[in-house]
Every structure is written in C-alpha cells, then in structure tokens.
Amino acid sequence: MEFVATIEGHKYLFTSLNKNSFLISGNNTEYILYKSRQWKCADEITFQLLEAFGEVIDERMAVKS
C-alpha cells in the first residue's frame, strides 16, 4: 500500500514495508515507523509528528479493511 498525506503543511509518501511498518518519505527526510502496541519511530522525531503519522496510517488501514 502506498499513499500521500499532508501533515503539518508538508507532503509525505507512505509506503508499506509490511503489515506493521511503513517508510515515510518527505522533502529531504525519511522515517521508518513500526507498530508493536503503538506506533514508534526508528529516528528521533517529535511526539506530535509521530502521533500524526500513526493516525494517518491507522485511518488508511481502517479504510482498506
């Protein structure tokens, strides 16, 4: 699954790596988010950005189901 979303005024490309992880690419940035019980990031990002990424992914996954 792949989709684009705008968060905090920036466009990000979300690419599913597997059912519990996503590569998120933006302007000169890349993050990997993974989910155990909640979304976590392999890189240091703000809690607000992590929370926003997680909400977008959860919403898209719910629509897909």
Side-chain angles (χ1 to χ4, degrees):
M1 171 170 55
E2 193 170 87
F3 60 90
V4 174
T6 301
I7 298 174
E8 296 179 359
H10 301 281
K11 284 190 178 184
Y12 294 96
L13 174 64
F14 290 72
T15 305
S16 176
L17 300 174
N18 60 45
K19 72 177 193 169
N20 293 319
S21 63
F22 277 80
L23 171 65
I24 303 170
S25 306
N27 188 23
N28 298 320
T29 60
E30 287 188 334
Y31 307 110
I32 294 178
L33 261 63
Y34 59 96
K35 190 170 193 175
S36 49
R37 291 186 181 161
Q38 60 187 14
W39 287 105
K40 297 181 181 184
C41 185
D43 300 298
E44 285 192 35
I45 62 173
T46 65
F47 178 75
Q48 291 82 5
L49 187 56
L50 175 63
E51 190 174 56
F53 285 155
E55 287 176 6
V56 167
I57 294 169
D58 288 339
E59 287 173 6
R60 293 290 176 127
M61 291 175 68
V63 169
K64 183 183 170 202
S65 300

